[in-house]
């Protein structure tokens, strides 16, 4: 008789964001006609940059003629896009990697979840707490963990992030094989200094572990000296995989495009590059060619200028939120090199209680910090994605009604 | 120390199509300036239908304005597209399913590979031999099998397909939990009658197994009475998952869009619907919204008309190949309800030997049948995807030079 995957059965409850959406919908049904101001999901709201839209229109025109139509692309991504990514790393990060280290995908979320599949289920994952739920959930579904108990999964090494360590944590004392790091961090908005990242690279070398570095928000970094790519750290090329995204800088949350860097050799061994290539060739058929045309445009000089303007818009939103929350005495973190403002709930409220209070009193939706891990309890995440006028309205509503 | 996934290490050699591409490239390097006529990969070559291109242009225009821009869509797919799929099944197959049984994805290959992950690694897969390599390779990578030995993986039930059973096979004698079926079949071009499919549904009910039915080529069926969807068979709604694609009828091989039907309950149990939903919410972030707009247009009355014209073009190619090969005495199957012509190699040649001969003498690339399984040895697959003039040139070249 057919049986379900036992590892999947360990997964707790629903995925965070659908649960937030469900609660907002339930609230709206109880309050017909009331508008909810959404500072919850990290969902882009502003128009696609014009040079990117133009490139995608042009691609559709090419596909509309039999002379210029193309079908399946390379599973690893369009050669021109992989080359553009390589040049982008060289130019902006001074990082030299070969084209074949870049694997283009339908987005950072897919890659962050799928990457665990090339590692033995016996590999021990380490995750920041709080963290983006995909690292934990995909580790659970991939059989890398045990049961859920006391707010965490057995077999995962949690790296507590709190105000005392600037939400960046130190490498763990315990052994781990896969270290998930996200900087600028989702949800806390924290960034890591060169020294902090070096400590993780040293830990990885010591433990013969691999760092999975999620750099989806790297374009939000403004503070001088903060690395944008893990490969800016000496020794990272031997031990790190990096996941990047066009979602938050080019507005591709719905268009879907990302990439993963897997160096040809990790610790001198080509196994993981080979397995990721095999995984992509077997489980994937390349990202949409229209999205990839947009990605090439996004990496052009004009595209980069437009993307950074778009990032600037959301960063201005973040500043408005950060200052607004601080003005009513709330304790806030992040929001400088990041679109997220990590906010301590007042009066020792729980995350979901403060979520409900903000929804009820200020008609504003945020994301409860406890959804990101045990250490997230007592915090909520404000997201800077939204039209400026809505961000301002939400902040006014919070100031007036809370 | 970090370790690779042991299951991945069982995978044999490279994925078939990259290997074919590698051999063609090597041949071209030895024969500079010579053109290769490609009847190998099932890669579409004709222009996107105009109503689909128009819808995708319009979607980019909507994304280019902040008033109409949208970010993340539902992981399960756009509501309008899921509804259109439901209506399509009702109208064309007389099959009634709820919208929430349809999960939109970036393509049938991804779904065909990922679907095994919701089942226990202890589940025994059954595959047609020959078959599309993804069912086997993803089962191996998912840990459902043992070592490769004597031309097959231990732990897989192979269902031999040959001329004696019309390349449709019967349900196996042995027990299996997951039965992969593909009709119209890739690579043999065979279709299954209602009675043949009923036998598999009865087998599934008897063994409490689940059928994974790949219907990517259903629009190529012209023979009266051949089912297009497994759900046309009584009892299939309790035991079958169906995977569909826009690749071969709408020309979306590069644009990427497909879907999977997981009924709300299989054998009265909602576990698999719930797990597939959880899998898609955790490992995926929705198909490209631009591609989804194209999918909605493809299912409109005008879109359907254009798609079936496109299918008709490739089917005419298939007829030219089938008649051409028969005229020189080659034994051919398929090519009537399918874009593939399954051809026995002359003089007891092996698949790769005939592949090499066709490449050397007729400058024509095909796909060696042995790449699809042990029973594929001694056959090659001709694909009808190509410009008409190239198909005719290839057939003339084969007739003259073989």
């Amino acid at each position: 008789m057919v049986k379900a995957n036992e590892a999947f059965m360990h997964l707790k409850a629903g995925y965070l964001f659908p649960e937030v959406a469900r609660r907002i919908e339930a609230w709206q049904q109880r309050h017909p006609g009331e508008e909810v101001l959404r500072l919850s999901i990290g969902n882009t709201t502003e128009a696609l940059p014009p040079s990117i839209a133009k490139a995608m229109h042009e691609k559709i025109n090419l596909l509309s003629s039999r002379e210029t139509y193309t079908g399946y692309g390379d599973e690893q991504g369009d050669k021109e896009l992989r080359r553009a990514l390589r040049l982008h790393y060289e130019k902006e990060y001074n990082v030299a990697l070969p084209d074949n280290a870049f694997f283009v995908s339908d987005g950072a979320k897919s890659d962050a979840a799928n990457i665990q599949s090339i590692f033995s289920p016996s590999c021990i994952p380490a995750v920041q707490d709080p963290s983006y739920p995909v690292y934990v959930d995909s580790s659970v579904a991939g059989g890398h963990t045990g049961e859920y108990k006391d707010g965490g999964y057995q077999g995962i090494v949690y790296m507590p992030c709190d105000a005392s360590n600037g939400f960046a944590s130190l490498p763990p004392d315990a052994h781990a094989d896969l270290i998930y790091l996200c900087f600028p961090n989702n949800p806390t908005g924290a960034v890591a200094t060169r020294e902090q990242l070096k400590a993780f690279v040293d830990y990885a070398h010591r433990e013969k572990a691999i760092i999975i570095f999620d750099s989806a928000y790297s374009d939000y970094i403004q503070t001088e000296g903060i690395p944008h790519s893990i490969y800016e750290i000496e020794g990272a090329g031997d031990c790190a995989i990096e996941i990047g995204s066009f979602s938050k800088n080019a507005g591709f949350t719905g268009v879907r495009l990302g990439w993963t860097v897997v160096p040809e050799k990790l610790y001198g061994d080509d196994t993981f590059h080979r397995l990721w290539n095999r995984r992509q060739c077997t489980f994937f058929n390349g990202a949409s060619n229209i999205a990839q045309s947009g990605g090439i445009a996004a990496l052009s000089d004009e595209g980069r200028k437009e993307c950074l303007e778009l990032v600037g818009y959301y960063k201005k939103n973040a500043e408005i939120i950060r200052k607004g929350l601080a003005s009513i005495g709330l304790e806030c973190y992040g929001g400088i090199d990041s679109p997220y403002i990590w906010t301590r709930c007042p009066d020792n409220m729980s995350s979901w209680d403060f979520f409900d209070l903000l929804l009820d009193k200020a008609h504003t939706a945020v994301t409860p910090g406890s959804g990101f891990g045990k250490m997230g309890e007592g915090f909520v995440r404000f997201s800077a994605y939204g039209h400026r006028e809505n961000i301002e309205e939400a902040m006014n509503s919070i100031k007036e009604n809370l």
Side-chain angles (χ1 to χ4, degrees), chain A:
Chain A
M1 186 181 162
V2 66
K3 281 196 205 123
N5 186 341
E6 294 82 357
F8 269 75
M9 306 303 275
H10 290 165
L11 282 169
K12 288 292 292 176
Y15 183 71
L16 174 62
F17 298 111
E19 175 62 17
V20 169
R22 202 190 58 74
R23 291 212 184 197
I24 294 173
E25 205 175 308
W27 187 89
Q28 280 184 311
Q29 280 180 1
R30 291 195 307 273
H31 302 82
E34 297 279 9
E35 197 201 346
V36 173
L37 299 156
R38 289 164 195 266
L39 306 186
S40 43
I41 300 182
N43 202 0
T44 48
T45 55
E46 302 309 299
L48 282 184
S51 68
I52 296 175
K54 182 162 169 275
M56 295 201 292
H57 279 304
E58 283 167 4
K59 182 66 185 178
I60 295 174
N61 289 337
L62 292 174
L63 295 175
S64 297
S65 154
R66 76 195 297 263
E67 281 72 35
T68 49
Y69 176 90
T70 49
Y72 290 123
D74 293 337
E75 285 93 343
Q76 301 85 354
D78 185 279
K79 284 189 176 65
E80 192 181 341
L81 178 52
R82 298 175 88 189
R83 182 171 168 272
L85 283 164
R86 194 245 303 158
L87 294 172
H88 173 69
Y89 271 65
E90 278 177 21
K91 186 178 166 191
E92 302 209 8
Y93 313 142
N94 197 25
V95 162
L97 290 158
D99 287 7
N100 76 357
F102 292 90
F103 293 84
V104 176
S105 76
D106 65 321
K109 182 181 173 190
S110 308
D111 286 354
N114 289 322
I115 194 76
Q116 52 74 31
S117 70
I118 65 170
F119 299 101
S120 168
S122 70
C123 286
I124 299 171
V127 299
Q128 297 172 288
D129 182 4
S131 76
Y132 179 48
V134 168
Y135 317 135
V136 169
D137 286 0
S138 64
S139 296
V140 174
H144 300 267
T145 72
E147 294 291 338
Y148 188 81
K149 207 178 156 182
D150 305 327
Y153 286 95
Q154 295 182 315
I156 289 185
V157 174
Y158 289 93
M159 302 183 286
C161 297
D162 59 20
S164 73
N165 57 28
F167 297 94
S169 92
L170 292 168
D173 292 327
H175 169 74
D177 299 297
L178 300 172
I179 307 146
Y180 289 90
L181 294 178
C182 174
F183 290 113
N185 188 262
N186 175 12
T188 67
V191 287
T193 62
R194 188 169 292 275
E195 292 66 33
Q196 285 170 317
L197 292 179
K198 184 69 170 68
F200 278 101
V201 168
D202 290 344
Y203 170 87
H205 278 263
R206 211 157 54 232
E207 304 288 334
K208 288 284 172 286
I210 286 177
I211 294 170
I212 297 164
F213 190 79
D214 185 341
S215 69
Y217 299 92
S218 64
D219 273 346
Y220 287 76
I221 296 172
Q222 67 185 46
T223 302
E224 282 282 324
I226 296 293
H228 290 233
S229 163
I230 188 75
Y231 300 115
E232 295 177 49
I233 308 301
E234 199 191 331
D238 285 327
C239 70
I241 287 170
E242 181 162 297
I243 296 171
S245 174
F246 290 95
S247 287
K248 308 302 167 88
N249 55 2
F252 272 28
T253 43
V255 173
R256 310 303 309 138
L257 197 68
W259 70 90
T260 286
V261 182
V262 183
E264 276 183 294
K265 294 196 175 181
L266 292 166
Y267 298 118
D269 180 359
D270 71 353
T271 300
F272 298 109
H273 186 270
R274 206 159 34 78
L275 288 197
W276 184 247
N277 186 59
R278 187 64 152 92
R279 194 264 159 212
Q280 294 301 82
C281 286
T282 304
F283 287 72
F284 185 60
N285 226 336
S288 177
N289 48 14
I290 300 170
Q292 292 194 69
S293 295
I296 293 167
L299 293 171
S300 69
D301 288 345
E302 195 184 349
R304 282 298 288 160
K305 192 169 152 281
E306 291 173 356
C307 286
L308 294 176
E309 271 168 29
L310 189 57
V311 166
Y313 181 91
Y314 294 124
K315 279 165 60 76
K316 179 68 188 169
N317 284 353
E319 188 186 330
I320 291 167
I321 296 170
R322 197 166 40 84
K323 290 190 173 163
L325 295 174
S327 77
I328 55 167
L330 287 169
E331 188 182 331
C332 296
Y333 301 92
I336 292 171
D337 299 300
S338 157
Y340 298 124
I341 297 92
W342 189 240
T343 308
R344 196 184 294 277
C345 307
D347 309 323
N348 289 315
M349 289 177 84
S350 77
S351 297
W352 278 111
D353 283 349
F354 192 42
F355 171 92
D356 287 335
L357 184 80
L358 283 166
L359 193 54
D360 271 333
K361 292 221 170 164
H363 300 191
T364 297
V366 295
T367 306
S370 57
F372 297 100
K374 198 159 68 167
M375 293 292 291
E377 182 55 273
F379 288 88
V380 297
R381 186 192 77 174
F382 282 80
S383 159
Y385 296 103
H387 294 329
R388 180 72 40 80
E389 58 272 25
N390 291 358
I391 300 284
E392 284 168 344
E393 192 184 342
M395 295 320 297
N396 288 337
S397 173
I398 290 170
K399 286 182 208 168
E400 282 166 29
N401 300 304
L402 204 67

